[in-house]
Amino acid sequence: LADPVLSMVDTAFVGRSGPIDLAALGVCTSIFHMAFTVFRASTVATTSLVGSASSQEEKRQITKISLGFAGVMGSLVLLALRFGGPTMLATMGVSSSSPLYKPACDYLFARCWAAPAVVGIVVAEGAFRGNDDNKTPLIAAAVAGAINLVLDPLLMFPLGMGMAGAAWATALSQFGAVGMYGWRLWKRRLLPQAQDTLRINVSKVLKSILGANAAMLAKNFSMLVFYTAATAVATRLG
């Protein structure tokens, strides 16, 4: 829920730095969009699994497994962005000789550290919806937006961090949302408790989540290819 708000805030402040930074932000936004779109289906899958659970104990076990999946997948995305960033930028038309390369790398390499948080947010949102709680995702999105709105101008201008500042503001806002979700999970006892004895089939839960994500990937693949191609062409044209 927070992504559109965070993107608008970043665009508003980065736009004050000039057209080069704004163009670099556009390229990075496309890369992050491609990296995380496939996991959007995890929200629906987790909502369905948690909502159809026969007991509160089963719901807690499913939430734990789903969050573990998010941690692993988010870490893999982090590694891919950190070490494959230059190749991704080149694919988007930003070579190492481009004036967009440095600001794009500054943004990409700072914001990528929040990848586990982003996938965690997607799964946590589904867990709360499965528990008939639509309020917590809205609160978490509001917290993320507020943090980004405060930190974006502070890190970019007074502290002189530029594009890296915008990226860190977004990353920290996403960690803030994770903190809110974590607090609500603990407060509402939505994670496994010491007295729990139920054990469920981990592979069945993971299969459902991976199946939903695979379907989402197949559905959006053509749109992602077109979007990437359009962004690369626009970048080369300036």
Side-chain angles (χ1 to χ4, degrees), residues 2 117 121 139-141 143-144 147 171-183:
I121 288 170
I139 295 174
V143 168
I147 293 174
L172 291 172
S173 69
Q174 289 166 329
F175 280 116
V178 167
M180 172 58 68
Y181 276 121
W183 177 69

Side-chain angles (χ1 to χ4, degrees), residues 6 30 39 61 76 112 115 160 172 175 179 185 187 194 202 206 212 237:
L6 301 183
S30 297
F39 297 108
Q61 292 293 334
L76 292 176
C112 71
L172 291 172
F175 280 116
L185 284 167
K187 184 177 181 180
V202 175
L206 293 178
L237 292 176

Side-chain angles (χ1 to χ4, degrees), residues 189-209:
R189 297 178 179 270
L190 299 182
L191 291 175
Q193 304 296 303
Q195 70 272 16
D196 289 351
T197 58
L198 178 67
R199 295 294 179 267
I200 64 175
N201 190 328
V202 175
S203 61
K204 182 179 179 180
V205 176
L206 293 178
K207 184 178 179 181
S208 297
I209 297 174

Side-chain angles (χ1 to χ4, degrees), residues 70-100:
V72 172
M73 292 296 103
S75 297
L76 292 176
V77 173
L78 164 59
L79 293 174
L81 291 171
R82 185 64 185 83
F83 295 105
T87 301
M88 296 177 188
L89 290 173
T91 302
M92 302 291 284
V94 181
S95 65
S96 58
S97 60
S98 170
L100 303 183

Side-chain angles (χ1 to χ4, degrees), residues 20-21 24 28 89 94-109 161 163-164:
I20 291 179
D21 284 356
C28 291
L89 290 173
V94 181
S95 65
S96 58
S97 60
S98 170
L100 303 183
Y101 185 76
K102 185 183 183 304
C105 284
D106 288 345
Y107 189 90
L108 184 66
F109 293 154
M161 294 176 66
M163 286 289 283

Side-chain angles (χ1 to χ4, degrees), residues 47 50-51 56 59 63 126-134 188 190:
T47 300
V50 173
Q56 192 62 35
K59 289 183 178 183
T63 300
F128 278 98
R129 288 183 176 180
N131 282 282
D132 297 321
D133 182 352
N134 291 314
R188 292 197 55 191
L190 299 182

Side-chain angles (χ1 to χ4, degrees), residues 1-6 40 121 125 129 134 136-139 141 181:
L1 293 174
D3 277 354
V5 177
L6 301 183
R40 300 300 180 193
I121 288 170
E125 182 179 333
R129 288 183 176 180
N134 291 314
T136 294
L138 291 174
I139 295 174
Y181 276 121

